[in-house]
Amino acid sequence: MTDADTTTAAADWRAWQESWDRQQEWYMPDREERFRVMLDMVEALVGTSPRVLDLACGTGSITARLLDRFPDATSTGVDLDPALLAIAEGTFEGDGRVSFVTADLKDPEWPAELPYDSYDAVLTATALHWLHRDPLADLYGHIAGLVRDGGVFMNADHMVDDATPRINAAERALRHARMDRAKRDGALDWAQWWRLAAQDPVLAEPTARRFEIYGEHADGDMPPPAWHARVLREKGFGEARPVWCSPSDTLLLALR
């Protein structure tokens, strides 16, 4: 492969990363704010050169922001999605600070695939709502076993409080009205983004495998923040509470 070919391939991976970010921001316009607070709390609690597990890493969105802010950090990304992992691996190819593991978080043996026995921080965003409560609680137990004493786990995700149905309905109506306006202006939604991935010569095959694994949509649960905090404490974390929230999402931090 020539230098020009290498540059073109790298540019393609960057373009896919940016396209993924734009698609995610259509759903979550405050996505960067949650990442900023997440990294603020990493710095506050475990410093600026942490060993991080990027859980359900997707394209490596957290890892990219982690290394931009903390060049001395290291990251292990773990996911099962072959298409998103292809983008992540292409993006970080040659970066010795980053490694990726293909593993199913529903498999109780997944921690054995990791290169390290413990991490300063385990970070995840907009991913674990694919799981129902029982497997999510089991996953929290595995995470507690991977976070060192004094380390942190943070989960930024949809966490719905069913005790506030009118507030939830009003927030949802406003959010969807804004999304509709953005879509009329050309924003890609989830389905449209995946259709483009399926047409890409490099991503077509891993995209097909991805839908064989996951299907079209998540069928998991979105329990309220209090449920997450309680279960994390039951699984071995000393403290757990939200450190950021929007009208629809929460960043919950648990300290080992």
Side-chain angles (χ1 to χ4, degrees), residues 110-126:
W110 70 267
E113 303 297 322
L114 301 175
Y116 303 106
D117 293 331
S118 68
Y119 288 85
D120 301 307
V122 177
L123 309 177
T124 188
T126 326

Side-chain angles (χ1 to χ4, degrees), residues 1 14 23 25 40 58 75 79 94 98 124 126 136-137 142 144 146 150-151 168 177 191 197 218 231 251 254-255:
M1 179 179 286
R14 287 196 295 271
Q23 178 258 126
E25 287 165 1
D40 280 351
S75 177
D79 209 304
V98 184
T124 188
T126 326
L136 180 55
H142 290 302
L146 288 168
N168 298 348
V231 172
L251 171 59
L255 181 65

Side-chain angles (χ1 to χ4, degrees), residues 17 50-64 66-67 73-81 84-89 92 95-105 110-111 113-116 119 121-125 146 214:
Q17 284 282 0
R51 176 191 292 169
V52 170
L53 177 61
D54 186 350
L55 192 73
C57 64
T59 66
S61 298
I62 290 174
T63 292
L66 173 79
L67 298 180
T74 58
S75 177
T76 304
V78 59
D79 209 304
L80 187 61
D81 189 313
L84 298 185
L85 276 174
I87 296 172
E89 289 168 349
F92 295 99
D95 190 331
R97 300 170 296 177
V98 184
S99 60
F100 292 100
V101 172
T102 300
D104 185 351
L105 297 181
W110 70 267
E113 303 297 322
L114 301 175
Y116 303 106
Y119 288 85
V122 177
L123 309 177
T124 188
L146 288 168
Y214 290 109

Side-chain angles (χ1 to χ4, degrees), residues 220-248:
D221 298 329
M222 290 181 260
W227 180 92
H228 292 268
R230 174 179 60 78
V231 172
L232 285 162
R233 288 192 294 267
E234 289 172 353
K235 295 297 182 178
F237 286 91
E239 301 176 15
R241 71 167 178 86
V243 292
W244 175 92
C245 69
S246 71
S248 61

Side-chain angles (χ1 to χ4, degrees), residues 48-50 64-75 95 97:
T48 59
S49 56
R65 289 153 181 82
L66 173 79
L67 298 180
D68 281 348
R69 180 159 167 178
F70 307 128
D72 293 330
T74 58
S75 177
D95 190 331
R97 300 170 296 177

